[in-house]
Amino acid sequence: MTRPPTAAQRRVIDAADPVTGRLLGTESQLTALVKRGLAFRHPRPPHDHFLTPEGHRVRQGITQVPEPDGSEEAPASTGVFTARVGGEEAAADAGPARLREVRSAWQGLQELRRMTNPGGAVDRPCGWERTHLVRAAALALEAAGHGPAGREGPGYRVRETPQPEAVAVHEPDGEALRACAATLEGAGWQVSEHREPRGGTRYLLASPRRT
């Protein structure tokens, strides 16, 4: 389920710096926005708060706001933007509106990298991506034009793994799997190809590159 930000939270979002997404507000307002995935706290002093890609989209009036539930894979039917990880019923919907949403989210993510990575580097993942591995990898794939899998059929699927900083990417088509690897490498991820113990199906392990 979704609900809009409070009036006070909306004022904080609307007043964000239009370029950097830097936020000003009370500690409680900023903490609430962080919990809802609309803002993040910069790890280095002075620990300013900035809009996440979702926060930028809310500021632009594109999406509704998700309730915080700790889930990495939000349902695609709620009207909330989330990168498609594969397996959603609506994954086949790749119309112009969806393409605009994905493009906007990817641009917001690039701005996060520029603002938070040392030296403003945009060639490797930022802190937000390292705490949202599945969504970050899926966004990189979807923004590059790869098709997510539906409930059935071909397409990529991004999933968590037992490893602390790695996701698994599954794609039944070998050529498409290699294309996914190239996209993630270009987006600043370290990628290696593996085979499942049972059946020998190929899949990718991807981790955010640090340097």
Side-chain angles (χ1 to χ4, degrees):
M1 56 183 297
T2 64
R3 66 179 174 84
T6 66
Q9 290 173 348
R10 186 75 223 196
R11 286 194 295 271
V12 173
I13 293 172
D14 290 342
D17 185 285
V19 176
T20 66
R22 181 172 176 267
L23 295 164
L24 296 175
T26 67
E27 190 65 29
S28 61
Q29 289 170 340
L30 297 173
T31 299
L33 292 175
V34 170
K35 288 181 178 179
R36 299 180 73 172
L38 302 178
F40 73 98
R41 184 173 182 265
H42 199 290
R44 295 192 296 274
H47 301 298
D48 288 333
H49 288 73
F50 296 85
L51 291 174
T52 63
E54 288 90 340
H56 278 285
R57 297 177 57 73
V58 169
R59 186 175 186 275
Q60 296 165 10
I62 296 176
T63 63
Q64 298 175 0
V65 184
E67 290 287 353
D69 60 1
S71 173
E72 192 69 59
E73 301 177 20
S77 61
T78 62
V80 177
F81 175 83
T82 185
R84 288 176 176 157
V85 302
E88 304 93 337
E89 289 185 3
D93 175 18
R98 178 65 186 182
L99 295 177
R100 286 193 298 271
E101 291 178 354
V102 172
R103 187 180 306 114
S104 176
W106 180 248
Q107 290 173 347
L109 187 54
Q110 295 304 294
E111 183 62 22
L112 279 187
R113 289 183 175 190
R114 188 183 72 81
M115 286 299 302
T116 61
N117 279 341
V122 296
D123 61 348
R124 60 181 179 271
C126 61
W128 182 87
E129 292 170 271
R130 296 178 192 282
T131 58
H132 300 79
L133 292 171
V134 172
R135 292 165 62 189
L139 178 56
L141 292 173
E142 191 174 0
H146 297 279
R151 290 294 183 185
E152 298 179 359
Y156 70 77
R157 297 173 186 264
V158 184
R159 297 293 183 264
E160 294 180 348
T161 72
Q163 299 186 36
E165 274 207 2
V167 295
V169 179
H170 303 270
E171 164 60 76
D173 181 84
E175 184 176 349
L177 183 68
R178 290 189 290 274
C180 287
T183 290
L184 290 171
E185 288 173 348
W189 294 68
Q190 294 178 324
V191 182
S192 56
E193 188 173 306
H194 304 265
R195 286 184 179 274
E196 295 181 351
R198 295 183 179 181
T201 303
R202 292 182 179 275
Y203 69 97
L204 305 175
L205 276 181
S207 301
R209 183 166 56 84
R210 291 192 174 277
T211 58

